[in-house]
Amino acid sequence: MAARGAWCVPCLASQETLQEMCRKEKLICKCIGITKRNLNSYEVEYLCDYKIKKGKEYFLVKWKGWPESCNTWEPKDNLKCPAILKQFHTDLYKYLSQLQFNNRGVVKDSIKFLDPTVSDYIVKKAKQRIALRRWEEELNRKKNHNGMIYVENIVDLEGPPVDFYYINDYKASPGVITLGEAIVGCECTDCFTGKCCPTEAGVEFAYNEQKQIKIPPGRPIYECNSRCKCGPDCPNRVVQKGPPYSLCIFRTHNGRGWGVQTLQKIKKNSFVMEYVGEVITSEEAERRGQQYDSRGITYLFDLDYESDEFTVDAARYGNISHFVNHSCDPNLQVFNVFIDNLDVRLPRIALFSTRNIRAGEELTFDYQMKGYGDLSSDSIDMSPARKRARTACKCGASTCRGFLN
């Protein structure tokens, strides 16, 4: 434990890496789980290679918490890890099938040892799986809503993004203030019948009794805030409670990178997630937009509900909406939301379902926000400076416009 006033430097190495260093140097460190009792314990982390020697099957084992220099060849009979063995064969068969070797008995009957390119793929896949699992755990630690986040990649060897930071709310850039405080709140005992926040704002109550959106796109949502007398079960507190569904970040098969699919059925007009990121000025957005255009990415969302002063940039800072792909025929729709911060220049951006969505279906929204009413005020990435480079659309919809911008 650091002494009072001492400098504390965060360690960027994972716990597993620190454990490997301790075991290599024969050091005990209880704070990372290395004790005298388990200093020399061995647990299979993953399998790296395979061979047959004198008719006996052997696997090269990477031991959990030990450096790769300590990998050892072990006979199959000594390995009590059926799930890891199954995963090894699954990865092997998948790689061989890509090379058009489809004989599922090939490992035992035909192969005496693996080509280095094959074992290299298997090791990379195992390391990727570990990295994605750690990232999944990190995302679930950082989120502040009920729905779980899962990560899956059965398509390629892409791992977690290296320059993305998960946030739950807007992150203000220098000179931008996003944390507004409500001055007044409603006195309702029943917000459906009382003089609630939407009425005070001169707009329609946004939700029905099932907390589903009932107003058309383009109309604002005014939810009850921290000054309101109503409780947490108020029907006018929906977006502020966060995403209620378990969602999966998955690798797409058609070159669209990561995407998001729901693991639960979502009813029409239900709140799904917010679009959050770094709030920047429109001038800074013009500069970043030109850089993003050259890379073929689109993360800039103009907050132009009533003015055009600010933009949300979800490229480096964002939540799960960062991974939601575009579609010219989307199943999510954007709405402007006001809760504690009533500054019309800084609405929160909520995504609601446009129809019933099946479990396992990919979630998408239209980056140009057209096709569901007059949504010119909700357009994304539409300024001339950001339209110089056009990005091809791969959504596959029958109504596809051909470009994202």
Side-chain angles (χ1 to χ4, degrees):
M1 185 174 180
R4 181 175 296 179
W7 286 94
C8 294
V9 180
C11 180
L12 299 180
S14 67
Q15 179 167 307
E16 289 80 3
T17 300
L18 295 175
Q19 288 177 341
E20 291 175 4
M21 294 171 64
C22 284
R23 285 199 167 101
K24 184 177 181 180
E25 301 298 329
K26 304 296 183 182
L27 298 175
I28 294 174
C29 184
K30 294 182 179 179
C31 64
I32 61 171
I34 301 298
T35 63
K36 185 176 181 180
R37 174 175 292 183
N38 68 16
L39 179 63
N40 294 310
S41 66
Y42 291 86
E43 177 187 350
V44 178
E45 184 170 24
Y46 57 86
L47 303 175
C48 309
D49 206 346
Y50 170 89
K51 67 181 180 181
I52 295 179
K53 185 177 181 181
K54 296 182 179 179
K56 196 170 187 178
E57 292 183 280
Y58 288 82
F59 290 88
L60 183 60
V61 177
K62 166 64 173 69
W63 300 104
K64 187 174 182 179
W66 290 86
E68 292 182 7
S69 59
C70 296
N71 291 0
T72 58
W73 285 96
E74 300 293 333
K76 182 181 178 181
D77 294 342
N78 289 0
L79 301 178
K80 311 301 179 184
C81 51
I84 295 177
L85 283 164
K86 182 178 179 181
Q87 187 64 66
F88 178 90
H89 288 296
T90 299
D91 292 341
L92 176 61
Y93 293 141
K94 181 176 180 180
Y95 185 82
L96 294 178
S97 67
Q98 292 171 350
L99 299 177
Q100 297 182 348
F101 292 105
N102 297 312
N103 179 7
R104 293 187 64 83
V106 69
V107 174
K108 292 184 178 180
D109 299 337
S110 304
I111 294 182
K112 299 299 182 182
F113 59 89
L114 298 183
D115 185 271
T117 58
V118 180
S119 57
D120 181 62
Y121 168 83
I122 290 174
V123 170
K124 286 180 178 178
K125 195 65 183 175
K127 290 181 176 180
Q128 177 209 47
R129 195 173 289 113
I130 292 170
L132 291 178
R133 184 175 67 247
R134 290 174 183 168
W135 184 41
E136 179 181 282
E137 292 170 352
E138 177 188 347
L139 295 176
N140 283 289
R141 284 196 305 270
K142 291 183 175 180
K143 72 173 179 63
N144 63 358
H145 53 81
N146 291 329
M148 294 294 292
I149 299 175
Y150 298 90
V151 180
E152 179 183 83
N153 185 354
I154 60 173
V155 174
D156 55 30
L157 292 172
E158 186 73 16
V162 296
D163 194 26
F164 174 74
Y165 305 92
Y166 193 94
I167 58 176
N168 293 290
D169 302 294
Y170 283 159
K171 174 182 172 61
S173 62
V176 178
I177 300 175
T178 60
L179 295 176
E181 183 177 346
I183 300 174
V184 295
C186 72
E187 302 284 339
C188 304
T189 55
D190 182 358
C191 287
F192 270 127
T193 59
K195 194 176 181 181
C196 196
C197 298
T199 304
E200 293 290 346
V203 301
E204 185 181 352
F205 198 96
Y207 306 116
N208 62 21
E209 294 183 358
Q210 287 72 45
K211 298 186 178 182
Q212 295 166 305
I213 195 81
K214 67 177 185 178
I215 59 175
R219 302 267 183 92
I221 299 171
Y222 277 79
E223 291 197 356
C224 291
N225 59 55
S226 57
R227 296 277 185 177
C228 295
K229 300 298 183 181
C230 55
D233 295 327
C234 167
N236 197 34
R237 298 181 185 271
V238 177
V239 172
Q240 60 194 265
K241 290 189 174 182
Y245 304 103
S246 291
L247 306 173
C248 179
I249 301 171
F250 73 104
R251 197 71 176 167
T252 61
H253 288 82
N254 60 350
R256 292 179 298 125
W258 296 102
V260 177
Q261 62 185 6
T262 176
L263 301 180
Q264 300 172 253
K265 180 181 178 181
I266 300 176
K267 292 183 178 180
K268 182 179 179 180
N269 297 328
S270 299
F271 170 63
V272 180
M273 68 180 76
E274 273 191 82
Y275 191 93
V276 304
E278 183 183 7
V279 179
I280 59 178
T281 63
S282 295
E283 292 77 16
E284 175 64 12
E286 295 291 345
R287 187 188 69 81
R288 295 188 188 186
Q290 295 181 48
Q291 296 177 351
Y292 297 159
D293 283 344
S294 64
R295 295 159 53 190
I297 61 175
T298 304
Y299 292 109
L300 297 174
F301 198 125
D302 292 334
L303 299 179
D304 52 6
Y305 169 66
E306 280 199 4
S307 63
D308 192 13
E309 296 183 42
F310 302 110
T311 296
V312 177
D313 181 2
R316 293 188 65 203
Y317 300 93
N319 63 0
I320 196 168
S321 65
H322 167 98
F323 303 97
V324 175
N325 279 314
H326 161 86
S327 175
C328 298
D329 183 21
N331 51 24
L332 300 180
Q333 174 63 51
V334 166
F335 284 84
N336 294 289
V337 185
F338 298 94
I339 306 176
D340 279 312
N341 190 342
L342 302 180
D343 187 341
V344 293
R345 302 173 302 166
L346 293 166
R348 292 165 67 163
I349 304 301
L351 296 170
F352 286 77
S353 56
T354 62
R355 56 175 172 79
N356 291 332
I357 304 175
R358 304 183 308 275
E361 188 174 346
E362 182 176 2
L363 302 174
T364 59
F365 70 97
D366 188 337
Y367 287 4
Q368 293 190 27
M369 291 297 106
K370 294 181 180 178
Y372 291 90
D374 180 11
L375 296 181
S376 58
S377 63
D378 292 330
S379 62
I380 299 178
D381 243 8
M382 292 300 289
S383 69
R386 282 178 248 157
K387 287 181 66 179
R388 289 198 196 105
R390 304 205 74 185
T391 303
C393 179
K394 301 178 181 179
C395 74
S398 59
T399 56
C400 182
R401 297 186 297 268
F403 295 94
L404 298 184
N405 50 5

